[in-house]
Amino acid sequence: MSKLRASYGLAIAVVGFSGAALAHGDAGAAEPPTVLMTESASPVAKSDRIFREALACVVKREPVRSRAILSTAPGSKDEANAGWGFDDRVEDCATSVGSITFSTSLLRGGLAEIFYHREFPNGLVVEAPADEAAVAWTQPRLDRGGDQQLELLHSAAKCLVVAQPAQVRTLLAAEPFSSAEQQAIGEIQQSLGPCLLKGVKFTASKQTLRGLLAEAAFAYGIARRDGFGSLKTAATTKD
């Protein structure tokens, strides 16, 4: 039996941060982000394509459950419960490779990008500048019962989507592992630093970064359209 590995790298180090003093954009607060690039012809690129096709199959079969996982806190018990059995479902949809190994972060990002393109076929278009509600939405929610380090990563992704929606739209419009994607990620790397919190060091593969931004863009688009705090309701009521 062949085995497809789709668990791309993600690392975060959080040093001496205080929940009472969390703020994006502290001068010199975070080290420059590192995004690990992979060539388009690599085995990882092939694995990514198969993984995305399998996720699309899962979403077609179980749209409500697939979307509901995005309403849970990263690393929480709710996430684990919502994601239970997804590995088997993905493998059922990827019969040509036999076995798939993937991280929950990669699963969330892949599902989010599918729903992002469904909800916003023309991409995320934000004409009005960010208001206080949008800025408040980007802050980490460390009381949700999830993994605090993952919550900090998702907070940084939200911050970037609010600050640079056009850059994120360009990235998500590009084919994975294309030259257009690589160019978009290069621009995003320059914008990500101010969105990292004090004491945070960020290292990820470009597909992990893409997934984080896809989830943030999907959530931000829903929030701009339906009101902040609406993602959980949308996740449980729409197919």
Side-chain angles (χ1 to χ4, degrees):
M1 178 180 292
S2 59
K3 189 170 186 179
L4 166 67
R5 298 195 60 84
S7 50
Y8 308 122
L10 171 64
I12 180 171
V14 184
V15 183
F17 75 89
S18 168
L22 292 174
H24 293 122
D26 288 350
E31 296 185 28
T34 300
V35 179
L36 308 176
M37 294 298 186
T38 306
E39 296 299 324
S40 60
S42 72
V44 174
K46 180 180 179 181
S47 298
D48 180 82
R49 176 181 57 78
I50 297 171
F51 181 63
R52 289 177 184 277
E53 291 173 353
L55 285 186
C57 167
V58 173
V59 170
K60 184 176 181 180
R61 293 180 180 180
E62 299 189 60
V64 175
R65 186 179 179 194
S66 297
R67 187 163 173 171
I69 193 172
L70 300 177
S71 68
T72 64
S76 66
K77 291 183 179 179
D78 288 341
E79 180 192 66
N81 291 335
W84 185 87
F86 261 91
D87 52 349
D88 292 335
R89 287 165 175 78
V90 173
E91 287 191 6
D92 286 345
C93 283
T95 55
S96 63
V97 295
S99 180
I100 297 180
T101 300
F102 55 89
S103 68
T104 304
S105 293
L106 193 63
L107 172 67
R108 291 182 70 117
L111 293 174
E113 186 162 356
I114 291 172
F115 289 115
Y116 166 81
H117 288 300
R118 283 189 176 187
E119 292 284 345
F120 309 104
N122 297 319
L124 180 65
V125 178
V126 179
E127 297 178 351
D131 55 18
E132 291 184 4
V135 173
W137 173 79
T138 69
Q139 297 304 305
R141 297 173 58 188
L142 303 179
D143 59 348
R144 299 178 65 197
D147 184 288
Q148 292 193 353
Q149 294 187 359
L150 290 175
E151 183 64 32
L152 293 178
L153 284 179
H154 282 268
S155 173
K158 290 178 180 180
C159 170
L160 185 57
V161 167
V162 169
Q164 301 291 345
Q167 287 186 1
V168 176
R169 181 175 68 246
T170 298
L171 169 64
L172 296 177
E175 286 294 322
F177 293 92
S178 65
S179 58
E181 182 194 60
Q182 186 163 338
Q183 181 177 352
I185 287 177
E187 295 177 358
I188 282 173
Q189 276 186 273
Q190 299 179 36
S191 303
L192 183 56
C195 283
L196 295 177
L197 299 167
K198 185 176 182 180
V200 171
K201 179 180 179 181
F202 175 87
T203 301
S205 72
K206 62 180 181 179
Q207 292 313 95
T208 301
L209 175 62
R210 181 178 179 126
L212 286 167
L213 293 175
E215 185 170 349
F218 171 63
Y220 189 46
I222 295 293
R224 295 283 302 196
R225 187 188 67 194
D226 301 339
F228 289 93
S230 60
L231 180 60
K232 185 172 184 178
T233 300
T236 56
T237 60
K238 293 186 180 181
D239 288 351

